[in-house]
Amino acid sequence: MSIASPDFSATRRTRWLQLAQPRKGEPRVVLLTPGPHNETYFEQAYLARYLGYMLVEGQDLAVRDGHVYLKP
């Protein structure tokens, strides 16, 4: 299995941010994890760090008016 090049990852991130609806603030791409007790947590943390995404759990997110927000 090959790992995506940083250029490919940057292009994908840019495209995802373009797809986000224009809102106040900056849209973010995050990697959702069930938490550190999951057997694949190490891989999820590695992937998030490699791609430059924030690793979040469900409790880190809030839904308001049909939109998902990262809690402060």
Side-chain angles (χ1 to χ4, degrees):
M1 174 173 70
S2 64
I3 296 178
S5 72
D7 291 334
F8 177 77
S9 299
T11 301
R12 182 177 31 210
R13 174 191 282 188
T14 301
R15 182 65 182 135
W16 284 338
L17 292 174
Q18 289 171 345
L19 293 172
Q21 291 182 340
R23 310 283 300 166
K24 291 181 182 177
E26 294 183 26
R28 294 186 181 157
V29 176
V30 299
L31 185 63
L32 185 62
T33 179
H37 301 293
N38 185 276
E39 63 187 22
T40 60
Y41 183 77
F42 174 79
E43 289 86 354
Q44 295 161 0
Y46 177 83
L47 184 61
R49 187 174 299 119
Y50 180 80
L51 295 174
Y53 299 157
M54 186 177 293
L55 185 64
V56 301
E57 297 178 38
Q59 63 192 12
D60 299 324
L61 304 173
V63 178
R64 287 187 222 118
D65 300 322
H67 298 283
V68 179
Y69 297 93
L70 184 61
K71 292 179 182 177

PDB file of all heavy atoms in Angstrom, residues 28-52:
ATOM      1  N   ARG A  28     -13.090  23.685   8.436  1.00  0.00           N
ATOM      2  CA  ARG A  28     -12.017  22.753   8.775  1.00  0.00           C
ATOM      3  C   ARG A  28     -12.373  21.361   8.312  1.00  0.00           C
ATOM      4  O   ARG A  28     -13.526  20.972   8.310  1.00  0.00           O
ATOM      5  CB  ARG A  28     -11.801  22.697  10.284  1.00  0.00           C
ATOM      6  CG  ARG A  28     -11.299  23.975  10.857  1.00  0.00           C
ATOM      7  CD  ARG A  28     -10.980  23.800  12.302  1.00  0.00           C
ATOM      8  NE  ARG A  28     -10.520  25.076  12.820  1.00  0.00           N
ATOM      9  CZ  ARG A  28     -10.572  25.403  14.072  1.00  0.00           C
ATOM     10  NH1 ARG A  28     -11.044  24.563  14.953  1.00  0.00           N
ATOM     11  NH2 ARG A  28     -10.133  26.572  14.472  1.00  0.00           N
ATOM     12  N   VAL A  29     -11.362  20.630   7.949  1.00  0.00           N
ATOM     13  CA  VAL A  29     -11.496  19.211   7.660  1.00  0.00           C
ATOM     14  C   VAL A  29     -10.896  18.491   8.852  1.00  0.00           C
ATOM     15  O   VAL A  29      -9.785  18.814   9.277  1.00  0.00           O
ATOM     16  CB  VAL A  29     -10.763  18.813   6.367  1.00  0.00           C
ATOM     17  CG1 VAL A  29     -10.846  17.318   6.146  1.00  0.00           C
ATOM     18  CG2 VAL A  29     -11.331  19.577   5.185  1.00  0.00           C
ATOM     19  N   VAL A  30     -11.650  17.567   9.440  1.00  0.00           N
ATOM     20  CA  VAL A  30     -11.160  16.823  10.598  1.00  0.00           C
ATOM     21  C   VAL A  30     -11.280  15.332  10.326  1.00  0.00           C
ATOM     22  O   VAL A  30     -12.007  14.907   9.429  1.00  0.00           O
ATOM     23  CB  VAL A  30     -11.949  17.186  11.883  1.00  0.00           C
ATOM     24  CG1 VAL A  30     -11.811  18.658  12.208  1.00  0.00           C
ATOM     25  CG2 VAL A  30     -13.413  16.796  11.781  1.00  0.00           C
ATOM     26  N   LEU A  31     -10.566  14.553  11.110  1.00  0.00           N
ATOM     27  CA  LEU A  31     -10.660  13.100  11.043  1.00  0.00           C
ATOM     28  C   LEU A  31     -11.364  12.648  12.310  1.00  0.00           C
ATOM     29  O   LEU A  31     -10.900  12.922  13.418  1.00  0.00           O
ATOM     30  CB  LEU A  31      -9.272  12.477  10.931  1.00  0.00           C
ATOM     31  CG  LEU A  31      -9.226  10.971  10.723  1.00  0.00           C
ATOM     32  CD1 LEU A  31      -9.880  10.597   9.403  1.00  0.00           C
ATOM     33  CD2 LEU A  31      -7.796  10.478  10.740  1.00  0.00           C
ATOM     34  N   LEU A  32     -12.492  11.988  12.149  1.00  0.00           N
ATOM     35  CA  LEU A  32     -13.304  11.551  13.281  1.00  0.00           C
ATOM     36  C   LEU A  32     -12.842  10.183  13.754  1.00  0.00           C
ATOM     37  O   LEU A  32     -12.680   9.256  12.964  1.00  0.00           O
ATOM     38  CB  LEU A  32     -14.776  11.498  12.856  1.00  0.00           C
ATOM     39  CG  LEU A  32     -15.794  11.167  13.935  1.00  0.00           C
ATOM     40  CD1 LEU A  32     -15.787  12.215  15.035  1.00  0.00           C
ATOM     41  CD2 LEU A  32     -17.183  11.070  13.313  1.00  0.00           C
ATOM     42  N   THR A  33     -12.632  10.055  15.068  1.00  0.00           N
ATOM     43  CA  THR A  33     -12.193   8.811  15.674  1.00  0.00           C
ATOM     44  C   THR A  33     -13.129   8.435  16.816  1.00  0.00           C
ATOM     45  O   THR A  33     -13.685   9.315  17.457  1.00  0.00           O
ATOM     46  CB  THR A  33     -10.750   8.928  16.209  1.00  0.00           C
ATOM     47  OG1 THR A  33     -10.375   7.691  16.820  1.00  0.00           O
ATOM     48  CG2 THR A  33     -10.609  10.033  17.240  1.00  0.00           C
ATOM     49  N   PRO A  34     -13.309   7.140  17.074  1.00  0.00           N
ATOM     50  CA  PRO A  34     -14.102   6.741  18.233  1.00  0.00           C
ATOM     51  C   PRO A  34     -13.361   6.960  19.552  1.00  0.00           C
ATOM     52  O   PRO A  34     -13.957   6.911  20.607  1.00  0.00           O
ATOM     53  CB  PRO A  34     -14.377   5.258  18.006  1.00  0.00           C
ATOM     54  CG  PRO A  34     -13.567   4.826  16.870  1.00  0.00           C
ATOM     55  CD  PRO A  34     -12.964   6.019  16.222  1.00  0.00           C
ATOM     56  N   GLY A  35     -12.056   7.205  19.497  1.00  0.00           N
ATOM     57  CA  GLY A  35     -11.314   7.501  20.719  1.00  0.00           C
ATOM     58  C   GLY A  35     -10.077   6.647  20.886  1.00  0.00           C
ATOM     59  O   GLY A  35      -9.814   5.725  20.122  1.00  0.00           O
ATOM     60  N   PRO A  36      -9.303   6.953  21.943  1.00  0.00           N
ATOM     61  CA  PRO A  36      -8.018   6.286  22.144  1.00  0.00           C
ATOM     62  C   PRO A  36      -8.126   4.811  22.522  1.00  0.00           C
ATOM     63  O   PRO A  36      -7.130   4.095  22.454  1.00  0.00           O
ATOM     64  CB  PRO A  36      -7.368   7.097  23.266  1.00  0.00           C
ATOM     65  CG  PRO A  36      -8.485   7.789  23.945  1.00  0.00           C
ATOM     66  CD  PRO A  36      -9.544   7.998  22.915  1.00  0.00           C
ATOM     67  N   HIS A  37      -9.291   4.343  22.891  1.00  0.00           N
ATOM     68  CA  HIS A  37      -9.439   2.934  23.250  1.00  0.00           C
ATOM     69  C   HIS A  37      -9.713   2.055  22.029  1.00  0.00           C
ATOM     70  O   HIS A  37      -9.740   0.834  22.148  1.00  0.00           O
ATOM     71  CB  HIS A  37     -10.539   2.756  24.294  1.00  0.00           C
ATOM     72  CG  HIS A  37     -10.259   3.523  25.552  1.00  0.00           C
ATOM     73  ND1 HIS A  37      -9.213   3.217  26.389  1.00  0.00           N
ATOM     74  CD2 HIS A  37     -10.849   4.612  26.080  1.00  0.00           C
ATOM     75  CE1 HIS A  37      -9.189   4.066  27.395  1.00  0.00           C
ATOM     76  NE2 HIS A  37     -10.175   4.928  27.225  1.00  0.00           N
ATOM     77  N   ASN A  38      -9.882   2.679  20.872  1.00  0.00           N
ATOM     78  CA  ASN A  38     -10.110   1.931  19.638  1.00  0.00           C
ATOM     79  C   ASN A  38      -8.807   1.298  19.176  1.00  0.00           C
ATOM     80  O   ASN A  38      -7.738   1.895  19.282  1.00  0.00           O
ATOM     81  CB  ASN A  38     -10.658   2.867  18.556  1.00  0.00           C
ATOM     82  CG  ASN A  38     -11.027   2.151  17.294  1.00  0.00           C
ATOM     83  OD1 ASN A  38     -10.176   1.913  16.449  1.00  0.00           O
ATOM     84  ND2 ASN A  38     -12.297   1.808  17.159  1.00  0.00           N
ATOM     85  N   GLU A  39      -8.896   0.096  18.631  1.00  0.00           N
ATOM     86  CA  GLU A  39      -7.686  -0.628  18.223  1.00  0.00           C
ATOM     87  C   GLU A  39      -6.925   0.036  17.077  1.00  0.00           C
ATOM     88  O   GLU A  39      -5.744  -0.223  16.874  1.00  0.00           O
ATOM     89  CB  GLU A  39      -8.024  -2.068  17.856  1.00  0.00           C
ATOM     90  CG  GLU A  39      -8.965  -2.193  16.675  1.00  0.00           C
ATOM     91  CD  GLU A  39      -9.429  -3.618  16.426  1.00  0.00           C
ATOM     92  OE1 GLU A  39      -9.379  -4.435  17.360  1.00  0.00           O
ATOM     93  OE2 GLU A  39      -9.844  -3.882  15.292  1.00  0.00           O
ATOM     94  N   THR A  40      -7.583   0.897  16.309  1.00  0.00           N
ATOM     95  CA  THR A  40      -6.907   1.561  15.190  1.00  0.00           C
ATOM     96  C   THR A  40      -6.583   3.027  15.496  1.00  0.00           C
ATOM     97  O   THR A  40      -6.278   3.795  14.590  1.00  0.00           O
ATOM     98  CB  THR A  40      -7.765   1.482  13.913  1.00  0.00           C
ATOM     99  OG1 THR A  40      -9.015   2.133  14.155  1.00  0.00           O
ATOM    100  CG2 THR A  40      -7.980   0.046  13.479  1.00  0.00           C
ATOM    101  N   TYR A  41      -6.636   3.401  16.749  1.00  0.00           N
ATOM    102  CA  TYR A  41      -6.396   4.801  17.127  1.00  0.00           C
ATOM    103  C   TYR A  41      -5.014   5.281  16.699  1.00  0.00           C
ATOM    104  O   TYR A  41      -4.851   6.400  16.219  1.00  0.00           O
ATOM    105  CB  TYR A  41      -6.578   4.997  18.629  1.00  0.00           C
ATOM    106  CG  TYR A  41      -6.422   6.431  19.059  1.00  0.00           C
ATOM    107  CD1 TYR A  41      -7.449   7.347  18.847  1.00  0.00           C
ATOM    108  CD2 TYR A  41      -5.262   6.884  19.673  1.00  0.00           C
ATOM    109  CE1 TYR A  41      -7.320   8.666  19.228  1.00  0.00           C
ATOM    110  CE2 TYR A  41      -5.124   8.203  20.054  1.00  0.00           C
ATOM    111  CZ  TYR A  41      -6.162   9.081  19.842  1.00  0.00           C
ATOM    112  OH  TYR A  41      -6.030  10.396  20.220  1.00  0.00           O
ATOM    113  N   PHE A  42      -3.993   4.438  16.863  1.00  0.00           N
ATOM    114  CA  PHE A  42      -2.641   4.842  16.478  1.00  0.00           C
ATOM    115  C   PHE A  42      -2.601   5.207  14.993  1.00  0.00           C
ATOM    116  O   PHE A  42      -2.011   6.232  14.614  1.00  0.00           O
ATOM    117  CB  PHE A  42      -1.632   3.727  16.773  1.00  0.00           C
ATOM    118  CG  PHE A  42      -0.257   4.038  16.274  1.00  0.00           C
ATOM    119  CD1 PHE A  42       0.578   4.886  16.992  1.00  0.00           C
ATOM    120  CD2 PHE A  42       0.199   3.526  15.069  1.00  0.00           C
ATOM    121  CE1 PHE A  42       1.850   5.201  16.531  1.00  0.00           C
ATOM    122  CE2 PHE A  42       1.466   3.826  14.602  1.00  0.00           C
ATOM    123  CZ  PHE A  42       2.290   4.671  15.330  1.00  0.00           C
ATOM    124  N   GLU A  43      -3.222   4.381  14.155  1.00  0.00           N
ATOM    125  CA  GLU A  43      -3.240   4.656  12.722  1.00  0.00           C
ATOM    126  C   GLU A  43      -4.017   5.932  12.418  1.00  0.00           C
ATOM    127  O   GLU A  43      -3.631   6.722  11.552  1.00  0.00           O
ATOM    128  CB  GLU A  43      -3.849   3.480  11.952  1.00  0.00           C
ATOM    129  CG  GLU A  43      -2.966   2.261  11.906  1.00  0.00           C
ATOM    130  CD  GLU A  43      -3.131   1.341  13.117  1.00  0.00           C
ATOM    131  OE1 GLU A  43      -3.854   1.704  14.070  1.00  0.00           O
ATOM    132  OE2 GLU A  43      -2.535   0.259  13.105  1.00  0.00           O
ATOM    133  N   GLN A  44      -5.128   6.141  13.133  1.00  0.00           N
ATOM    134  CA  GLN A  44      -5.927   7.348  12.919  1.00  0.00           C
ATOM    135  C   GLN A  44      -5.134   8.590  13.312  1.00  0.00           C
ATOM    136  O   GLN A  44      -5.144   9.594  12.595  1.00  0.00           O
ATOM    137  CB  GLN A  44      -7.229   7.267  13.723  1.00  0.00           C
ATOM    138  CG  GLN A  44      -8.135   6.159  13.259  1.00  0.00           C
ATOM    139  CD  GLN A  44      -9.175   5.783  14.289  1.00  0.00           C
ATOM    140  OE1 GLN A  44      -9.243   6.352  15.377  1.00  0.00           O
ATOM    141  NE2 GLN A  44      -9.989   4.790  13.954  1.00  0.00           N
ATOM    142  N   ALA A  45      -4.430   8.521  14.430  1.00  0.00           N
ATOM    143  CA  ALA A  45      -3.615   9.654  14.876  1.00  0.00           C
ATOM    144  C   ALA A  45      -2.482   9.921  13.890  1.00  0.00           C
ATOM    145  O   ALA A  45      -2.192  11.079  13.557  1.00  0.00           O
ATOM    146  CB  ALA A  45      -3.064   9.380  16.271  1.00  0.00           C
ATOM    147  N   TYR A  46      -1.853   8.857  13.407  1.00  0.00           N
ATOM    148  CA  TYR A  46      -0.769   9.004  12.436  1.00  0.00           C
ATOM    149  C   TYR A  46      -1.291   9.645  11.145  1.00  0.00           C
ATOM    150  O   TYR A  46      -0.693  10.579  10.616  1.00  0.00           O
ATOM    151  CB  TYR A  46      -0.142   7.641  12.126  1.00  0.00           C
ATOM    152  CG  TYR A  46       0.928   7.708  11.077  1.00  0.00           C
ATOM    153  CD1 TYR A  46       2.228   8.066  11.415  1.00  0.00           C
ATOM    154  CD2 TYR A  46       0.644   7.437   9.740  1.00  0.00           C
ATOM    155  CE1 TYR A  46       3.222   8.146  10.450  1.00  0.00           C
ATOM    156  CE2 TYR A  46       1.635   7.529   8.775  1.00  0.00           C
ATOM    157  CZ  TYR A  46       2.913   7.877   9.141  1.00  0.00           C
ATOM    158  OH  TYR A  46       3.884   7.967   8.178  1.00  0.00           O
ATOM    159  N   LEU A  47      -2.409   9.151  10.650  1.00  0.00           N
ATOM    160  CA  LEU A  47      -2.990   9.675   9.415  1.00  0.00           C
ATOM    161  C   LEU A  47      -3.382  11.140   9.571  1.00  0.00           C
ATOM    162  O   LEU A  47      -3.112  11.963   8.690  1.00  0.00           O
ATOM    163  CB  LEU A  47      -4.196   8.839   9.002  1.00  0.00           C
ATOM    164  CG  LEU A  47      -4.868   9.191   7.690  1.00  0.00           C
ATOM    165  CD1 LEU A  47      -3.887   9.034   6.530  1.00  0.00           C
ATOM    166  CD2 LEU A  47      -6.086   8.313   7.478  1.00  0.00           C
ATOM    167  N   ALA A  48      -4.013  11.482  10.689  1.00  0.00           N
ATOM    168  CA  ALA A  48      -4.408  12.873  10.926  1.00  0.00           C
ATOM    169  C   ALA A  48      -3.183  13.782  10.950  1.00  0.00           C
ATOM    170  O   ALA A  48      -3.176  14.851  10.349  1.00  0.00           O
ATOM    171  CB  ALA A  48      -5.181  12.990  12.230  1.00  0.00           C
ATOM    172  N   ARG A  49      -2.143  13.355  11.631  1.00  0.00           N
ATOM    173  CA  ARG A  49      -0.919  14.157  11.708  1.00  0.00           C
ATOM    174  C   ARG A  49      -0.274  14.270  10.328  1.00  0.00           C
ATOM    175  O   ARG A  49       0.156  15.339   9.920  1.00  0.00           O
ATOM    176  CB  ARG A  49       0.058  13.534  12.702  1.00  0.00           C
ATOM    177  CG  ARG A  49       1.274  14.408  12.945  1.00  0.00           C
ATOM    178  CD  ARG A  49       2.185  13.876  14.036  1.00  0.00           C
ATOM    179  NE  ARG A  49       1.492  13.802  15.308  1.00  0.00           N
ATOM    180  CZ  ARG A  49       1.301  12.661  15.997  1.00  0.00           C
ATOM    181  NH1 ARG A  49       1.758  11.523  15.538  1.00  0.00           N
ATOM    182  NH2 ARG A  49       0.661  12.673  17.145  1.00  0.00           N
ATOM    183  N   TYR A  50      -0.227  13.180   9.590  1.00  0.00           N
ATOM    184  CA  TYR A  50       0.386  13.167   8.260  1.00  0.00           C
ATOM    185  C   TYR A  50      -0.345  14.103   7.296  1.00  0.00           C
ATOM    186  O   TYR A  50       0.271  14.828   6.529  1.00  0.00           O
ATOM    187  CB  TYR A  50       0.411  11.750   7.702  1.00  0.00           C
ATOM    188  CG  TYR A  50       1.030  11.651   6.330  1.00  0.00           C
ATOM    189  CD1 TYR A  50       2.412  11.638   6.170  1.00  0.00           C
ATOM    190  CD2 TYR A  50       0.235  11.585   5.187  1.00  0.00           C
ATOM    191  CE1 TYR A  50       2.995  11.565   4.916  1.00  0.00           C
ATOM    192  CE2 TYR A  50       0.810  11.517   3.930  1.00  0.00           C
ATOM    193  CZ  TYR A  50       2.185  11.509   3.800  1.00  0.00           C
ATOM    194  OH  TYR A  50       2.739  11.448   2.552  1.00  0.00           O
ATOM    195  N   LEU A  51      -1.679  14.082   7.355  1.00  0.00           N
ATOM    196  CA  LEU A  51      -2.482  14.897   6.442  1.00  0.00           C
ATOM    197  C   LEU A  51      -2.662  16.326   6.944  1.00  0.00           C
ATOM    198  O   LEU A  51      -3.149  17.181   6.212  1.00  0.00           O
ATOM    199  CB  LEU A  51      -3.855  14.246   6.232  1.00  0.00           C
ATOM    200  CG  LEU A  51      -3.834  12.891   5.529  1.00  0.00           C
ATOM    201  CD1 LEU A  51      -5.236  12.287   5.506  1.00  0.00           C
ATOM    202  CD2 LEU A  51      -3.271  13.012   4.128  1.00  0.00           C
ATOM    203  N   GLY A  52      -2.309  16.571   8.204  1.00  0.00           N
ATOM    204  CA  GLY A  52      -2.469  17.911   8.754  1.00  0.00           C
ATOM    205  C   GLY A  52      -3.879  18.204   9.225  1.00  0.00           C
ATOM    206  O   GLY A  52      -4.274  19.365   9.303  1.00  0.00           O
TER     207      GLY A  52
END
